[in-house]
Amino acid sequence: MSIECAKTLETDIIEKMNMAKKDCLLMSSIPYSGVKHQMESTDKTVTIYSLLPGVEEVQIVASKTPDANSVYMVRSNIAASISEEALEELLSNITLVTTLLEKGEFTPIKELLTLPKEIEAIYHTIGNISIDANKNELDLLYQKYALLLKEIRSIQLQNINSQIYHEKITR
């Protein structure tokens, strides 16, 4: 894991992250699985994941070129590298949760919402070292939005737990 200032990322990636934040702030509804923005050029593909369950305040940026791949978790002014495997595990769990929600099967959801250990450790680390003084207005609005969405998802999980409890009682 390497942690660095987000400003050290390539300028085009920073611009794309800001565009993704603005787009999220303008969306009328956010899918439970989060928001994915993908930009492709002849030699590079950049995918930005925003408002993912459990890590709503960060954006995850996956950059692929013919020479190298890199994945970063970015929270306002801090970027930390993560492994592609950790990202794939997180995305796989989110897909499974979304499928179960659509089917109305709530029992295994709590286990699937547990973050991969690598992502959880990095998430807490960058949360502890983020410097609020360097945030711009877009970052502050996005963070407020992400925190509200996180609270809504927490309430939804409480509802799921309540439904599981009532199912057990009626059996």
Side-chain angles (χ1 to χ4, degrees):
M1 164 180 63
S2 69
I3 296 177
E4 54 194 81
C5 178
K7 291 179 182 179
T8 61
L9 297 174
E10 296 173 28
T11 307
D12 68 322
I13 290 178
I14 293 171
E15 289 172 7
K16 290 172 183 170
M17 287 172 46
N18 285 332
M19 286 182 353
K21 285 179 187 176
K22 288 177 185 176
D23 187 45
C24 288
L25 290 170
L26 295 173
M27 293 178 79
S28 60
S29 66
I30 302 293
Y32 187 83
S33 57
V35 180
K36 176 181 174 181
H37 292 86
Q38 190 161 343
M39 297 85 170
E40 295 184 28
S41 64
T42 54
D43 61 340
K44 182 191 253 181
T45 301
V46 176
T47 306
I48 300 171
Y49 301 92
S50 305
L51 304 172
L52 295 174
V55 289
E56 286 86 355
E57 302 99 283
V58 301
Q59 288 180 297
I60 298 180
V61 180
S63 176
K64 295 183 181 193
T65 64
D67 300 328
N69 298 337
S70 56
V71 182
Y72 292 95
M73 282 180 58
V74 181
R75 183 174 181 180
S76 51
N77 54 357
I78 304 293
S81 63
I82 62 171
S83 68
E84 290 181 69
E85 294 81 17
L87 173 61
E88 289 303 319
E89 181 181 348
L90 176 66
L91 295 175
S92 174
N93 287 351
I94 291 169
T95 301
L96 287 171
V97 167
T98 304
T99 302
L100 291 170
L101 287 171
E102 289 171 357
K103 291 180 178 180
E105 298 175 18
F106 303 124
T107 307
I109 289 177
K110 199 167 192 172
E111 292 78 29
L112 291 171
L113 289 177
T114 303
L115 294 174
K117 290 182 187 228
E118 177 186 354
I119 289 179
E120 184 175 12
I122 294 170
Y123 176 75
H124 289 297
T125 302
I126 63 176
N128 289 334
I129 61 175
S130 289
I131 302 169
D132 289 338
N134 291 336
K135 290 183 182 175
N136 60 34
E137 186 177 358
L138 176 62
D139 286 335
L140 292 171
L141 288 172
Y142 182 80
Q143 184 177 19
K144 284 181 183 179
Y145 189 74
L147 291 172
L148 287 171
L149 183 61
K150 188 174 197 165
E151 186 63 30
I152 289 169
R153 288 179 176 160
S154 172
I155 292 168
Q156 290 172 330
L157 184 58
Q158 288 174 11
N159 181 41
I160 289 169
N161 289 334
S162 174
Q163 289 180 7
I164 292 169
Y165 176 75
H166 289 299
E167 274 184 31
K168 289 180 181 177
I169 288 176
T170 56
R171 285 185 189 173

